Amino acid sequence: MALVTRDLFRNWWEDMDRYHRELEEHFKRLSTRDDFWKPPPMPSFNEFFQPWRNMMEQLEHQVGGSTTIERDQNKYQVIVDVQQFAPEEITVRTDDKCITIEGKHEEKKDEHGYVSRHFVRRYVLPQGYDIGHVKPSLSSDGILTITAPRLALPAPGERIIPIERSNAPAIKAA
């Protein structure tokens, strides 16, 4: 009985060994061929996440529109496409250092059914711009432009200071 088991095991082991040797030779032959299948190049990190970026851009255009920020020596501007909203549905607020734009309308019927929209965008105004003189402007085609002027800083060096006049005498009578 032990002899039969040993012979069966030996035959099985030799069969497995032969199978692995043949498989190894087969892959060696394949790897030396010129037309061996090459895997496609891996996409870059940006290409891999491109669908999400496109989806975010589409959402921006649907709710709250696209935004452009322009900044130069004289002003800081935020330009937002809000054509999905009526002028009375848009609010612009400022606090100590932020400009907040909010647009909201309740359910409206459109060609696909009913839609409601709401967005809030907050922009931190960089230092050196006057938050007290922020001016929003809405064009007829639904482009909201918010402008903050540069803070007026005194010029360095010599300056003339105006003298304030009073109509009362400085010396009081005794």
Side-chain angles (χ1 to χ4, degrees):
M1 177 77 174
L3 212 79
V4 173
T5 308
R6 191 172 38 187
D7 286 343
L8 280 175
F9 180 72
R10 186 176 307 171
N11 289 342
W12 178 83
W13 188 257
E14 289 172 359
D15 288 344
M16 289 302 294
D17 194 38
R18 185 172 22 106
Y19 171 76
H20 284 113
R21 276 194 313 270
E22 289 174 358
L23 196 59
E24 193 173 317
E25 288 173 18
H26 173 72
F27 280 110
K28 280 183 185 177
R29 280 191 307 254
L30 278 179
S31 66
T32 58
R33 290 176 35 193
D34 289 337
D35 62 343
F36 184 68
W37 179 79
K38 293 179 184 169
M42 289 295 292
S44 70
F45 184 78
N46 289 336
E47 291 171 339
F48 186 74
F49 286 103
Q50 193 66 34
W52 292 106
R53 190 171 299 135
N54 287 342
M55 192 167 91
M56 291 306 291
E57 288 173 6
Q58 289 171 357
L59 284 174
E60 280 182 357
H61 290 295
Q62 290 174 2
V63 179
S66 62
T67 302
T68 305
I69 297 175
E70 296 176 358
R71 181 177 171 176
D72 61 22
Q73 295 86 8
N74 300 324
K75 65 185 177 298
Y76 177 85
Q77 275 189 333
V78 178
I79 303 165
V80 183
D81 178 5
V82 291
Q83 61 184 335
Q84 302 289 333
F85 297 89
E88 59 273 2
E89 298 171 339
I90 302 167
T91 308
V92 178
R93 292 187 306 274
T94 60
D95 59 15
D96 292 339
K97 56 186 174 186
C98 291
I99 300 171
T100 305
I101 306 165
E102 183 174 7
K104 181 177 184 177
H105 67 70
E106 300 304 321
E107 278 192 357
K108 289 184 179 179
K109 186 165 178 53
D110 68 357
E111 65 270 10
H112 303 292
Y114 290 90
V115 64
S116 67
R117 292 183 178 94
H118 181 223
F119 80 94
V120 177
R121 291 186 184 270
R122 184 171 291 118
Y123 303 93
V124 177
L125 191 65
Q127 287 185 347
Y129 294 94
D130 191 358
I131 193 113
H133 290 91
V134 169
K135 292 183 182 161
S137 161
L138 183 63
S139 69
S140 61
D141 58 346
I143 303 299
L144 178 66
T145 304
I146 301 168
T147 306
R150 176 70 82 170
L151 278 173
L153 299 176
E158 186 179 321
R159 63 186 179 123
I160 298 174
I161 302 170
I163 299 171
E164 184 181 318
R165 292 186 164 195
S166 68
N167 293 332
I171 302 174
K172 296 191 180 189

